[in-house]
Amino acid sequence: MDFSVAITQWKALLGESHVLQGDAVQGAYGADTTGAQRQIPAALIIRDASQVPLIMHIASRYKVPVYPISTGHNWGYGTALPARDGCVILDLGRLQKIVDFDAELGVVTVEPGVTQGMLADFLAAGKHPFLVPNTGAGPTCSLMSNALERGYGVTPYVDHFGAVTDIEAVLPDGSLYRSALREAGGDELARLFKYGIGPYSTGLFTQNGLGIVTRMSIVLARRPETVKAVLFSLKDDALLETAVLRLRGIMSKLQGTVGAINLMNQHRFLSMSAKYPADQLGPNGVMPPDVLAALGKQFKVFPWTGFGTLYGTKRMVAAAQQEIKAALGDIATRMLFLTPERSVQLHKLSYFLPGKLGIGLQGLTGTLAKGLELVYGIPNETALPLAYWRNPLPPSNQPKNPGKDGCGLMWYAPLVPMRPADIRAYVNMIHDILPKHGMEPLITFTTLSDKLFDSTVPLIFVRDDPAQVAAAHACYKELLHTGRAKGWFPYRIGVDTMPELLALQSDSKTFHERLRKDLDPFDIMSPGRYR
């Protein structure tokens, strides 16, 4: 590796001000919510996609490892950090072009730096009736990166990579990848048909480091005639197993009308509504049952809260609403079906209620109103305060950035089969493991189909406390291995867990090594990423 020569050539290509080294790199990219640290020799700020092949020609010639990022807001999984020390960061966040938009069919082609918020502004400015594929990570996060991580949301196209049709990528030697259908049949057909023609290779660029994706085409869901959310509670934890069976039936019968359903335990819902009671913790560093019960009573939050989305014509949504009432009516408490407009009205009315009742309902209805914006395709920060639950919030006039704001956050996100016995055993595991490490047992289940939940469990801690950082990492490791033994494993992982993933593979590892040996013989593209 000849790092100094590569740096000199990159400076000539990009300009010295766009090549960062030393303290400037650590200040811009080194803060991670998991508490992980990396030695980063340099960062290249890329202003035009045409520069990427030239950058990779240099990296390949001098065998310098690189690690591309978009906005670097991969909070809870590594933020902007590479998987290994010694990688030069390629910052693609300034590539913010909406390359193409089909206003009739609703297909958009974007560069890596286009965020959820940018797409929302573009659609609103043109009065285009399509929904942004939102996540809870906020308006400043990259559309492309979330899709490449195979992320998901609550709008009609729950699987975000499932809505991706075509990509263009730069390979480690600087050559280009384009799909066969795009080259043989043209750009438009490639944007409209996901699988193209011949071998389907686009998926190889997800959760991988085979290349740098510089443009991506995404099919957007059209805003339907009616958007509603269903909110319900389970007043007794013993109803969980029955609720799982009923949700499985709803997802089976109402595919296409119901987007996704979230089921959150009391801890998780309170983390979005209530201030953390840091002065009332038990000897194990977490909330005692009586404190949790008191907060639940104040904020009107029961042991489990369900939140689902319905999309379609008025008649379709009305019919789905009746089906959901029939399925959940005998076990659900406070079932509400709300449009985004109605949720805003409820939030305003809550301010007329006095005392603790009013304060509690303000938190509940405020969270609900912001959640309804998300299902309507409007990005917001409603889920981000979670990262700050044990840390001070930043000034209200600034976008939230958990990495730079000093928040401690790691995500455990396993796939869990939608069987009542599995769900109960999983919940028991979370409640057993997290308090041992001083972590609050926050649980969300999200339906990925009528067969499978993804569960997201945030490990929230004080990042400035080395003992809490160590406890969070130990907690994650115990969750990973205990869950695996029981049949549950994450759908995505953070940069510090990737070596452990490699140790659990054999045949798949051999296959991927054979691919990389040809495409990246010097292992310079995102070394260590998911391998």
Side-chain angles (χ1 to χ4, degrees), residues 412 414 429 433 473-490 496-497 499-504:
Y412 173 59
M429 180 189 77
I433 291 176
H473 283 261
C475 182
Y476 185 93
K477 188 168 185 176
E478 185 173 354
L479 287 169
L480 182 74
H481 291 286
T482 304
R484 178 174 181 260
K486 294 178 180 293
W488 316 312
F489 201 76
D496 271 1
T497 308
E500 293 198 52
L501 177 66
L502 185 64
L504 300 175

Side-chain angles (χ1 to χ4, degrees), residues 239-517:
L239 295 170
L240 177 62
E241 287 90 338
T242 303
V244 168
L245 283 176
R246 305 288 179 84
L247 293 181
R248 199 166 73 189
I250 289 169
M251 295 305 299
S252 176
K253 291 178 181 178
L254 302 178
Q255 291 183 45
T257 303
V258 174
I261 299 175
N262 286 341
L263 195 59
M264 293 167 277
N265 72 345
Q266 192 173 46
H267 274 88
R268 180 65 179 88
F269 203 85
L270 285 170
S271 72
M272 299 189 295
S273 309
K275 183 180 178 181
Y276 188 64
D279 57 344
Q280 302 179 60
L281 305 183
N284 59 350
V286 300
M287 286 188 286
D290 61 325
V291 173
L292 178 67
L295 281 176
K297 183 177 180 180
Q298 179 185 347
F299 286 86
K300 309 304 175 188
V301 178
F302 285 139
W304 292 93
T305 299
F307 182 85
T309 53
L310 290 78
Y311 301 93
T313 65
K314 288 183 180 179
R315 288 187 297 177
M316 289 170 62
V317 170
Q321 186 169 319
Q322 293 306 311
E323 291 285 344
I324 292 172
K325 284 182 179 179
L328 298 176
D330 63 330
I331 62 169
T333 301
R334 298 187 317 196
M335 187 183 297
L336 296 173
F337 292 88
L338 295 171
T339 63
E341 297 80 11
R342 181 60 176 157
S343 70
V344 172
Q345 292 171 0
L346 285 177
H347 183 51
K348 290 179 179 178
L349 288 172
S350 70
Y351 283 90
F352 291 96
L353 296 174
K356 287 188 175 181
L357 174 63
I359 294 172
L361 286 177
Q362 286 162 27
L364 176 64
T365 57
T367 299
L368 180 60
K370 286 294 185 180
L372 265 290
E373 285 186 3
L374 286 176
V375 306
Y376 202 60
I378 302 172
N380 62 40
E381 294 185 338
T382 187
L384 277 181
L386 165 73
Y388 298 81
W389 206 32
R390 299 177 77 164
N391 296 272
L393 281 167
S396 58
N397 61 344
Q398 295 180 11
K400 293 181 178 64
N401 185 320
K404 293 187 177 180
D405 293 338
C407 299
L409 171 68
M410 296 176 67
W411 286 105
Y412 173 59
L415 301 165
V416 185
M418 203 182 291
R419 299 188 188 97
D422 269 84
I423 300 307
R424 177 57 68 189
Y426 174 80
V427 169
N428 289 343
M429 180 189 77
I430 298 300
H431 280 272
D432 176 53
I433 291 176
L434 269 76
K436 287 194 306 183
H437 298 275
M439 305 288 144
E440 301 287 353
L442 282 65
I443 304 172
T444 300
F445 292 108
T446 302
T447 57
L448 299 183
S449 67
D450 62 343
K451 300 172 178 61
L452 192 65
F453 281 123
D454 175 66
S455 177
T456 45
V457 175
L459 308 184
I460 304 171
F461 54 95
V462 178
R463 201 175 78 201
D464 291 338
D465 184 341
Q468 289 199 29
V469 173
H473 283 261
C475 182
Y476 185 93
K477 188 168 185 176
E478 185 173 354
L479 287 169
L480 182 74
H481 291 286
T482 304
R484 178 174 181 260
K486 294 178 180 293
W488 316 312
F489 201 76
Y491 86 100
R492 65 189 286 193
I493 55 175
V495 293
D496 271 1
T497 308
M498 290 174 185
E500 293 198 52
L501 177 66
L502 185 64
L504 300 175
Q505 302 174 58
S506 56
D507 294 343
S508 58
K509 179 177 72 172
T510 300
F511 174 75
H512 294 139
E513 285 175 345
R514 290 173 66 184
L515 282 177
R516 294 190 67 89
K517 185 176 180 181

